[in-house]
Amino acid sequence: MYCPKCFNNTLHLAPRGVLQVVINGKQMDAGRLLYNMDGKEGEMLRDLRVKIEDFFKWYSNFKNKEPIQLVELMTSDMKCDNKCAIPGGLRLDVVDLLIDSTTIKNIMLELSTKYKMTITFKE
């Protein structure tokens, strides 16, 4: 990825950090999870599934629910090879960098039937 400071293709995801699960632009305060690229991927997927299920429980109580269209895994835990200071407010979506979008969609489709949610993903 390109660094916003030096404009080189030197920006990389940090080996461990925090992800914020954002669905349809909405996020819960408890929607954060830790990731560790050196750890087991199964643990991260289990944690992600729990966070998505928590969101569905929360969102299913809304009166005017919109169909789920967009899922983002946002993080500010990035590092530049040139040691640039990355702005604190910069958050990037790491879907397909950290977890495959097909895996996320499968989790959401499975949980959508349980919580009677409508899903129409944007491509």
Side-chain angles (χ1 to χ4, degrees), residues 1-117:
M1 291 184 281
Y2 285 93
C3 175
K5 288 287 190 175
C6 66
F7 302 111
N8 292 316
N9 191 13
T10 54
L11 193 65
H12 302 283
L13 187 62
R16 59 181 65 95
V18 178
L19 292 176
Q20 178 69 42
V21 179
V22 181
I23 301 175
N24 277 9
K26 296 171 181 58
Q27 60 189 26
M28 296 176 49
D29 290 338
R32 292 186 194 101
L33 65 121
L34 299 175
Y35 74 88
N36 184 352
M37 292 168 55
D38 298 330
K40 297 178 183 173
E41 186 177 350
E43 291 176 16
M44 188 170 32
L45 288 176
R46 227 178 0 260
D47 292 345
L48 178 62
R49 181 182 168 78
V50 167
K51 294 300 177 182
I52 291 173
E53 187 163 9
D54 289 346
F55 180 90
F56 276 30
K57 286 178 190 174
W58 174 69
Y59 194 63
S60 66
N61 291 321
F62 282 32
K63 294 209 185 289
N64 297 320
K65 296 182 284 275
E66 296 176 3
I68 305 280
Q69 296 181 346
L70 181 63
V71 179
E72 299 169 292
L73 300 178
M74 306 298 288
T75 188
S76 58
D77 295 313
M78 301 290 203
K79 293 188 177 189
C80 177
D81 291 342
N82 295 331
K83 305 206 184 325
C84 295
I86 307 300
L90 178 69
R91 289 178 26 182
L92 300 172
D93 186 13
V94 295
V95 171
D96 285 328
L97 284 175
L98 193 58
I99 299 175
D100 185 56
S101 60
T102 306
T103 304
I104 296 171
K105 286 178 183 179
N106 289 338
I107 292 171
M108 295 194 66
L109 289 171
E110 180 185 328
L111 291 172
S112 69
T113 57
K114 181 177 179 181
Y115 290 97
K116 298 175 179 59
M117 304 291 287

